[in-house]
Amino acid sequence: MNAQKGTPPLTRQPGRLVSFSDGVFAIAVTLLVLEIQPPPDFGHLLRGLGALWSSYLAYALSFLLIGQVWVNHHVMYDRVRHVDRGVLFLNTVLLMVIAFLPFSTSLLAGALRAEQGLRTAVLVYGSTLWMAAALFNIIWLYLRRARLLDPTLGASGVRAIGRRFALALLWIGSGILVGGFVPIAGVAIIAGFLPAYYLPIRGEYGETKQVPR
């Protein structure tokens, strides 16, 4: 049967996409802790626990980074009216990158512990984060061009969110570049990216609302 005249076209609400994404984020942060294995020698347990410092560091960094990605994922999709197949595909690729982060984290922790291969590990770790940032930018551009964003966001909000996403590419990219020469400095630059990206974005609540204090 043909659709009745005046019937609105089928639209997919972003709720299921966000729920599925939240599940992937939750699994990714849970898998991070599996890299931390108890020391084999319980006769010197305190010393063994201290030797796991690299695993603790990589775990904390990646947990907070994935949490940051989750926060900004909600910032993005809270302003989406509906989604199409293009958004579903791009978001799936983003989640594929997020699911790879536990491996990158394990690689970084192992290289720190072994004091070998650290340059390569930092490059792999940073590149994984950079790919996630690139996909945020691609998805945001797609949402804008496909006119899938809530019009109450306003042009200034759209630009502000876009600038925040674009800056991530430069920030993480600089960490990768420096990490190719001084690995620890590269990790420090990427870690410094954390506080700024937990802050609210001016205009993200729309033109008629103010950022809560």
Side-chain angles (χ1 to χ4, degrees), residues 12-14 77 79-83 146-151:
R12 295 183 178 90
Q13 300 302 314
Y77 282 102
R79 310 308 309 193
V80 173
R81 292 181 297 167
H82 56 268
V83 298
R147 298 184 178 180
L148 299 176
L149 294 173
D150 184 347

Side-chain angles (χ1 to χ4, degrees), residues 28-75:
V29 295
T30 301
L31 290 175
L32 291 175
V33 78
L34 298 182
E35 197 280 327
I36 306 177
Q37 298 293 322
D41 184 5
F42 278 75
H44 301 87
L45 187 56
L46 184 60
R47 183 188 304 171
L49 289 172
L52 294 175
W53 67 270
S54 60
S55 294
Y56 305 146
L57 176 63
Y59 167 78
L61 178 60
S62 291
F63 197 105
L64 291 172
L65 281 168
I66 293 176
Q68 178 196 92
V69 174
W70 173 76
V71 168
N72 285 283
H73 191 269
H74 275 279
V75 169

Side-chain angles (χ1 to χ4, degrees), residues 5-181:
K5 186 177 181 180
T7 301
L10 173 67
T11 59
R12 295 183 178 90
Q13 300 302 314
R16 291 187 65 188
L17 178 150
V18 172
S19 296
F20 176 69
S21 301
D22 285 350
V24 174
F25 285 123
I27 292 171
V29 295
T30 301
L31 290 175
L32 291 175
V33 78
L34 298 182
E35 197 280 327
I36 306 177
Q37 298 293 322
D41 184 5
F42 278 75
H44 301 87
L45 187 56
L46 184 60
R47 183 188 304 171
L49 289 172
L52 294 175
W53 67 270
S54 60
S55 294
Y56 305 146
L57 176 63
Y59 167 78
L61 178 60
S62 291
F63 197 105
L64 291 172
L65 281 168
I66 293 176
Q68 178 196 92
V69 174
W70 173 76
V71 168
N72 285 283
H73 191 269
H74 275 279
V75 169
M76 180 162 58
Y77 282 102
D78 284 348
R79 310 308 309 193
V80 173
R81 292 181 297 167
H82 56 268
V83 298
D84 60 14
R85 285 181 177 269
V87 178
L88 295 175
F89 171 74
L90 291 172
N91 192 75
T92 300
V93 178
L94 172 62
L95 296 179
M96 181 174 67
V97 174
I98 296 302
F100 190 77
L101 265 170
F103 171 76
S104 299
T105 301
S106 179
L107 201 66
L108 179 63
L112 285 168
R113 186 164 50 247
E115 298 182 352
Q116 292 180 337
L118 187 55
R119 181 177 288 106
T120 299
V122 171
L123 291 176
V124 172
Y125 187 79
S127 296
T128 305
L129 294 171
W130 191 91
M131 288 174 61
L135 283 161
F136 262 87
N137 283 271
I138 292 170
I139 293 171
W140 189 247
L141 180 62
Y142 184 94
L143 290 169
R144 291 180 62 180
R145 291 190 173 180
R147 298 184 178 180
L148 299 176
L149 294 173
D150 184 347
T152 64
L153 177 59
S156 61
V158 171
R159 288 193 298 270
I161 294 173
R163 283 195 299 269
R164 176 71 66 88
F165 292 165
L167 180 59
L169 289 173
L170 297 175
W171 198 319
I172 298 172
S174 65
I176 296 171
L177 182 62
V178 172
F181 298 95

